[in-house]
Amino acid sequence: DVSGHGIGAALLMSTARALLRAFTAGEAPPAEVVTRLNRFLSDDVETGRFMTLFYGEVNLRDRTLSYVRAGHNEPVIYRRAKDVFEELAEGGIALAMMDDFEFEATGPVVLEKGDMLFLYTDGIVEAMSPAREPFGIVRIEDILRSGRDLPAKEIVERVRSAVRLHTGTARREDDLPLVVAKITG
């Protein structure tokens, strides 16, 4: 998620995307990938501009997640077997804030059958109603819990619809990117 809007934000996002694709082409671990990305972006980004990122690698064989959270909103895991939510709160600063910051990976986090990983940006939780009430994480958790048997794509649509209903005629300041990943099989 890039700070600001417009052409500058779009250029930063496309640069970061290209660099991330290049850095992940090898066998570098998550912390090294994000640390390198930060160094490159810090050299080229104008002062005051930054980007948040969640970079995760899932080992399908072991059903584990290792990740680096660079200033991004805390992803949530819905633990179906226990009917609880777990925030992935460990993390570092946003990208392009400090060029010499060394990011560290967290994990592996074990993912069980039935678990659901939810990634989102501040555009979701900070979406304001006409009465200036934020959408918040509790509404998201309610949607995840009630939709736990639905396909991930339908859960995504339910979250987006709920945000649109919540904001009503209020102008949304941000986009609504989100990812739902369900652990099956």
Side-chain angles (χ1 to χ4, degrees), residues 41-85:
L41 291 178
S42 294
D43 287 343
D44 292 336
V45 172
E46 63 189 70
T47 303
R49 182 137 345 237
F50 62 91
M51 176 180 163
T52 68
L53 172 80
F54 176 85
Y55 176 76
E57 289 185 357
V58 175
N59 180 320
L60 296 175
R61 187 174 13 98
D62 297 338
R63 282 196 187 143
T64 59
L65 167 70
S66 296
Y67 68 91
V68 175
R69 192 175 67 81
H72 202 70
N73 292 81
E74 295 88 356
V76 174
I77 297 177
Y78 171 65
R79 301 288 190 177
R80 184 178 180 124
K82 296 178 182 176
D83 192 31
V84 297
F85 291 92

